[in-house]
Amino acid sequence: MSEQNLFLSQLALRVTDLQSTIQQLLNLYQTKLWHQLTVAVEEFVRSPYFEANKHELPLVYHNFVKDFESRINPRKLVQLAAFIAESFEDPAKSLEFLELISSKNEVRADDAAKCLCSNALALILMRMGQDDKVKASLEASKALLDGPVTFEPIVYSSFYRASMAYHQAKGTASEFYHDSLKYLSYTPLTDIPATTAPRLAFDIGVAALLGDNIYNFGELLAHPVLASLDNTQFSWMRLFLQAFNTGNIAEYNALRERYGASVASLTPQLCEPATIEKMREKISILCLMEIVFRRPSSDRTIPFGVIASEARIEMHEVEFLLMKALSLKVVEGVIDEVAQIVQITWVQPRVLNLEQIGGISARIGEWAKKVQSTLRDVESDTQELLVE
């Protein structure tokens, strides 16, 4: 009996729940159906038994997978190795294991596999506090991803997972937010563990509120990951994001009053005076953008009084708000301080919710009526000219 057969047979004797799966692995191994065997091994290592006994996963590699690893697609090998590497309590051992995999000729010859390996190594190096090496691993992956070859979604997903973790650790909210959205765009929701999805959605929400130059929450609000916040301690985050997205300051104030204790408990940073001031400025700018957006392009001369009323600020604060919005390039226009008006010529495009789309639809309907009216007038005048 081969070492591989002996290892699996002994495991089957110890764990009766795995007997049928192990028999399937042995059959595929003996018939040399390598692709089907790879798929079966991926399912095998994710079985409930190994969730409770992760320390045994390296044994699966050394006593079984290693024998036929050269037959496995290099990308699948790296994915499997990255999963097994997470089972080590000591990150140094995880690093040693993945570096062994990365040195394989099959992996070094495949750009996608190399990229996957660099991303997995970055996550381990992060646990070890080796930021310089993390950055180097991410830069190596980025160089491959920016090349002429397009890779599978899993490659991009693994990169943005590592990159967003790096930026979260460094406290760079804007970069974390943008990388998180890219991670979500390449990662099926079913691939995100249900136990971690609420925290991920919450962390992205916090980054959206705090990140510099983030004035469009529509893409995040439209993503189904936010549904994971429902019926959790983080459920209020979606309400805050919706209030910010529409620049609804009254709703924002009500939410702060209602959920103040929960906000302070989960994210004390959001209750710091400097942060509160920053968030107040951001929602005021979003309120201004919403005021402009709701108006047709022919009616974008806005009195200071309207802005002060809707943004709930003093008249003398309006000009500063406008200057801030202009400097951030979320709007373009001309301020007339003497007449106390602003002429807006452009507002930053945003991902819209259904209510905002409904507003556009109504404006298009009004525009169509005006076009029809103008057409009737032109036809009427043309008939009179022909008669003369």
Side-chain angles (χ1 to χ4, degrees):
M1 181 179 291
S2 68
E3 292 182 10
Q4 294 73 35
N5 284 18
L6 180 61
F7 168 73
L8 290 179
S9 298
Q10 290 177 341
L11 182 59
L13 288 174
R14 285 194 296 112
V15 188
T16 55
D17 290 346
L18 294 177
Q19 287 181 353
S20 61
T21 305
I22 288 174
Q23 187 57 53
Q24 179 191 17
L25 292 175
L26 288 170
N27 291 339
L28 292 171
Y29 176 70
Q30 291 165 0
T31 53
K32 300 181 180 182
L33 296 174
W34 306 122
H35 172 70
Q36 292 87 335
L37 180 57
T38 302
V39 174
V41 169
E42 287 178 322
E43 295 176 358
F44 180 60
V45 297
R46 287 172 171 77
S47 65
Y49 173 77
F50 287 113
E51 285 184 16
N53 298 274
K54 290 184 177 180
H55 63 281
E56 293 190 30
L57 283 173
L59 297 175
V60 175
Y61 170 77
H62 289 294
N63 293 291
F64 182 57
V65 176
K66 188 177 180 180
D67 181 69
F68 60 91
E69 64 182 2
S70 62
R71 308 281 187 174
I72 299 177
N73 181 303
R75 303 166 201 184
K76 291 291 186 180
L77 176 62
V78 173
Q79 288 176 252
L80 181 61
F83 180 79
I84 293 174
E86 293 177 359
S87 67
F88 291 98
E89 291 185 5
D90 183 356
K93 291 185 177 180
S94 297
L95 182 64
E96 181 183 358
F97 177 71
L98 264 184
E99 286 180 337
L100 172 67
I101 300 300
S102 67
S103 67
K104 304 289 183 183
N105 291 332
E106 298 83 358
V107 173
R108 294 169 63 183
D110 189 298
D111 283 345
K114 283 195 296 184
C115 190
L116 286 166
C117 215
S118 290
N119 301 335
L121 285 168
L123 289 172
I124 294 170
L125 291 166
M126 213 175 302
R127 290 167 55 194
M128 302 174 70
Q130 299 185 20
D131 290 351
D132 290 343
K133 291 185 177 180
V134 172
K135 188 175 180 181
S137 287
L138 292 175
E139 287 176 350
S141 292
K142 191 71 165 62
L144 290 171
L145 295 177
D146 288 343
V149 179
T150 300
F151 300 111
E152 299 168 273
I154 184 62
V155 181
Y156 296 94
S157 172
S158 70
F159 170 75
Y160 287 115
R161 180 192 172 202
S163 184
M164 74 181 192
Y166 173 73
H167 288 300
Q168 186 174 29
K170 301 295 287 185
T172 46
S174 295
E175 288 81 358
F176 169 74
Y177 176 76
H178 292 299
D179 280 351
S180 296
L181 290 183
K182 290 175 182 176
Y183 167 72
L184 292 174
S185 70
Y186 285 109
T187 310
L189 192 58
T190 52
D191 288 354
I192 302 175
T195 53
T196 62
R199 185 75 215 193
L200 172 62
F202 178 77
D203 289 343
I204 299 173
V206 172
L209 297 179
L210 298 182
D212 295 331
N213 300 318
I214 298 174
Y215 294 95
N216 183 359
F217 300 166
E219 186 176 354
L220 175 58
L221 285 167
H223 199 281
V225 74
L226 281 193
S228 67
L229 295 172
D230 296 343
N231 302 315
T232 70
Q233 60 181 334
F234 309 122
S235 59
W236 51 268
M237 177 54 74
R238 180 187 275 197
L239 301 176
F240 271 75
L241 293 172
Q242 289 170 341
F244 267 75
N245 193 52
T246 56
N248 191 332
I249 294 174
E251 179 67 12
Y252 167 68
N253 292 336
L255 289 171
R256 284 211 75 105
E257 185 174 345
R258 180 179 177 185
Y259 295 105
S262 183
V263 173
S265 171
L266 293 171
T267 50
Q269 185 182 4
L270 294 183
C271 296
E272 295 174 0
T275 304
I276 292 174
E277 181 63 27
K278 182 177 181 178
M279 291 171 64
R280 186 64 175 76
E281 179 184 272
K282 175 174 281 193
I283 197 170
S284 296
I285 291 172
L286 285 162
C287 178
L288 171 64
M289 294 172 68
E290 187 67 16
I291 292 170
V292 177
F293 178 77
R294 289 199 305 262
R295 290 170 170 249
S297 57
S298 59
D299 182 26
R300 287 188 172 172
T301 300
I302 308 170
F304 280 18
V306 171
I307 298 172
S309 175
E310 296 209 27
R312 302 198 174 195
I313 57 178
E314 300 295 329
M315 281 289 288
H316 68 272
E317 297 176 302
V318 173
E319 187 174 2
F320 176 80
L321 174 64
L322 290 169
M323 291 173 65
K324 183 69 176 180
L326 289 168
S327 69
L328 290 168
K329 301 188 185 303
V330 295
V331 296
E332 293 178 1
V334 179
I335 301 172
D336 188 335
E337 188 179 1
V338 176
Q340 298 280 280
I341 59 173
V342 60
Q343 174 66 48
I344 301 295
T345 57
W346 177 86
V347 61
Q348 184 185 79
R350 294 188 290 166
V351 176
L352 306 179
N353 59 30
L354 291 177
E355 183 179 348
Q356 291 168 325
I357 292 173
I360 289 181
S361 177
R363 291 209 297 273
I364 291 175
E366 293 173 2
W367 172 81
K369 290 179 182 178
K370 289 180 180 178
V371 170
Q372 287 295 327
S373 176
T374 302
L375 177 61
R376 284 194 294 270
D377 290 342
V378 170
E379 289 175 342
S380 176
D381 292 342
T382 302
Q383 288 177 355
E384 291 177 4
L385 289 171
L386 289 174
V387 170
E388 291 177 2

